[in-house]
Amino acid sequence: INDSEGHPSSSQQTLKGTSKWATSLENLLEDPEGVKRFREFLKKEFSEENVLFWLACEEFKKTQGKKQMQEKAKEIYMTFLSSKASSQVNVEGQSRLNETILETPHPLMFQKLQDQIFNLMKYDSYSRFLKSDIFLNHKKSEEQEENPPEAQTAAKRASRIYNT
């Protein structure tokens, strides 16, 4: 939601941490702490390679120079897409993406596969993450930082005094 000048509305700007992560997978992936917690969760689900592939593709898009692109493209292919990949992701059509494409890399060469993985995370892992102990415990510790127990007890004492 944007204001009349196209800036995020104030309610969006005030969201942070777990509150922001809970609004969208995009927000979660923009926050380094969110990525860390999501990876921790995916590791327990044996699907950490999905977010690692997504992050590698994001990094690849920023790569400058044909030689560097070739090296990174090959690294992504060998790590996530090859039949012998150490952290193979499960994407449709990966068999059609063979090593010959690595000779002429371009920033969006993995985009379709990255979108598949994003949607897999969004409609599968992400909703489970929001119900996970990792997320809920982090949310609880955030709330405790914002509202320390001392402040809560003082407020409760005050309400007991005035409500008698």
Side-chain angles (χ1 to χ4, degrees), residues 54-64 69 72 76 106-111 114-115:
W54 188 88
L55 291 167
C57 290
E58 285 298 292
E59 198 57 39
F60 177 75
K61 291 175 193 174
K62 301 172 192 165
T63 305
Q64 301 291 313
M69 284 187 98
K72 272 206 182 212
I76 289 172
H106 57 87
L108 301 177
M109 66 188 280
F110 297 115
Q111 190 64 52
Q114 185 185 16
D115 290 345

Side-chain angles (χ1 to χ4, degrees), residues 41 125-136:
F41 170 75
S125 317
Y126 175 63
S127 56
R128 285 196 308 279
F129 170 71
L130 295 178
K131 297 172 192 155
S132 73
D133 287 345
I134 291 171
F135 176 79
L136 296 172

Side-chain angles (χ1 to χ4, degrees), residues 6-71:
H7 302 299
S9 68
S10 58
S11 64
Q12 285 292 94
Q13 290 171 335
T14 57
L15 288 178
K16 60 181 187 260
T18 54
S19 300
K20 194 168 185 181
W21 304 348
T23 60
S24 72
L25 179 57
E26 291 89 339
N27 285 340
L28 172 71
L29 294 172
E30 286 173 3
D31 182 342
E33 183 66 23
V35 170
K36 179 182 167 188
R37 301 296 175 170
F38 193 46
R39 278 184 64 184
E40 194 179 319
F41 170 75
L42 291 176
K43 197 178 283 187
K44 288 182 174 186
E45 290 212 333
F46 304 101
S47 59
E48 183 186 21
E49 67 278 359
N50 291 335
V51 75
L52 293 176
F53 173 72
W54 188 88
L55 291 167
C57 290
E58 285 298 292
E59 198 57 39
F60 177 75
K61 291 175 193 174
K62 301 172 192 165
T63 305
Q64 301 291 313
K66 186 178 178 186
K67 186 80 178 140
Q68 287 90 332
M69 284 187 98
Q70 283 177 322
E71 288 170 11

